[in-house]
Structure formats: C-alpha cells, structure tokens
Amino acid sequence: MISFKPVDATYISQLMAIENACHSHPWTEKTMLSCLAGRYFNLAAFQGDEMLGFYIGEQAGPDYTLMDICVAPKYQGQGIAKQLLNAFIEHSEQHQAENLFLEVRESNAPAIGLYESAGFSHMSVRKNYYPTATGNEDAILMGMSFSL
C-alpha cells in the first residue's frame, strides 16, 4: 500500500537518488535542501520505508509553482505521478491559491499529457530553458487558475 507524507532533510539521500535517476540535469543536493523549508512544501510517496516519488512546490503570494516532481523509474507508469500531482493541486487549493504554474520540457510528452489531463493549459514557451547534452531545449510554461 502506498502512503504519502511530507519529508525533511533527513530524507535527502532518497530524494537525491530519485532526482538523479529521473533527470539528465538533476538538482544539486544543496538546491534540494534549500527547497525543503520556508516557502516550499513537498509530499513523498512511500511503500513501507522506500520512497517511490515526490513533488516539491513553492508558494509565492497567491501563486503556487510545481518546482519538481519525480517518480523512481521502476515505479513509473503506475499512477504515482498522478497521485502526487493531484495532491499538489489539492494542497494549493486548500491554501487559497489563485494560480498554479509549472515548466516542462517540450520533449516530455508523458508529463505534458499528465498535466493537461489534470487541467493545466499551455501558456507560453521559454526558449532554451533546459540544458541538454547537445545544447538547450524549450520549456512549455503551463498554468491553471482558480481565481476565474
């Protein structure tokens, strides 16, 4: 059975293992640690003591941003990212968010589909936003509004 709970710096090794497995250009441990307090919030999925995935969100006034969402490769395709995304949306709604934002690599079709199915819309493109092995890739900025 999968359970969900917020995590702190004591989980950094598990967070970084998933982060490194999921991204070609992962966050550094220092960046990850800086996003575990203050205006940031998170939730991780567990099966027993094993972390399966997590999200990191940020609050800036009435706007909330999904900063990072990862599911360990061996658990992808099982609906865990959808559960984490829904938890991010619910958390934001419960805290009176007006708008939600995220960026996604334009090549990440599964993630784009997930975000669209949750109600996010394409807003704009951030040119050359993500580094790649051969240059840069555009990011699609997506958003959802609760204030309309």
Side-chain angles (χ1 to χ4, degrees):
M1 180 171 190
I2 297 175
S3 62
F4 296 87
K5 67 180 180 183
V7 295
D8 59 22
T10 61
Y11 290 88
I12 192 66
S13 63
Q14 289 177 287
L15 290 164
M16 290 308 300
I18 295 171
E19 177 75 8
N20 288 321
C22 291
H23 295 296
S24 62
H25 292 79
W27 285 4
T28 64
E29 186 172 306
K30 182 178 178 182
T31 297
M32 183 68 73
L33 285 167
S34 74
C35 292
L36 295 178
R39 67 181 185 261
Y40 298 95
F41 56 97
N42 68 74
L43 195 69
F46 288 87
Q47 196 162 44
D49 291 334
E50 183 179 9
M51 186 183 293
L52 312 178
F54 66 89
Y55 80 73
I56 307 249
E58 176 188 27
Q59 178 188 358
D63 297 331
Y64 286 63
T65 300
L66 182 64
M67 301 296 293
D68 196 0
I69 186 168
C70 297
V71 174
K74 68 181 180 179
Y75 296 108
Q76 291 177 4
Q78 299 178 30
I80 297 166
K82 183 176 185 173
Q83 291 177 71
L84 287 166
L85 179 62
N86 287 340
F88 167 76
I89 293 167
E90 289 171 19
H91 172 92
S92 302
E93 232 178 339
Q94 290 169 355
H95 289 85
Q96 287 76 47
E98 292 179 13
N99 304 292
L100 304 182
F101 299 102
L102 61 86
E103 291 107 6
V104 59
R105 288 180 182 271
E106 68 178 352
S107 64
N108 194 345
I112 293 168
L114 172 66
Y115 301 142
E116 288 173 341
S117 72
F120 283 84
S121 301
H122 293 240
M123 299 177 69
S124 67
V125 174
R126 294 189 173 168
K127 294 287 185 190
N128 300 312
Y129 187 78
Y130 288 109
T132 68
T134 58
N136 291 298
E137 178 179 3
D138 293 347
I140 297 173
L141 175 64
M142 300 181 80
M144 176 190 296
S145 181
F146 295 124
S147 60
L148 297 178

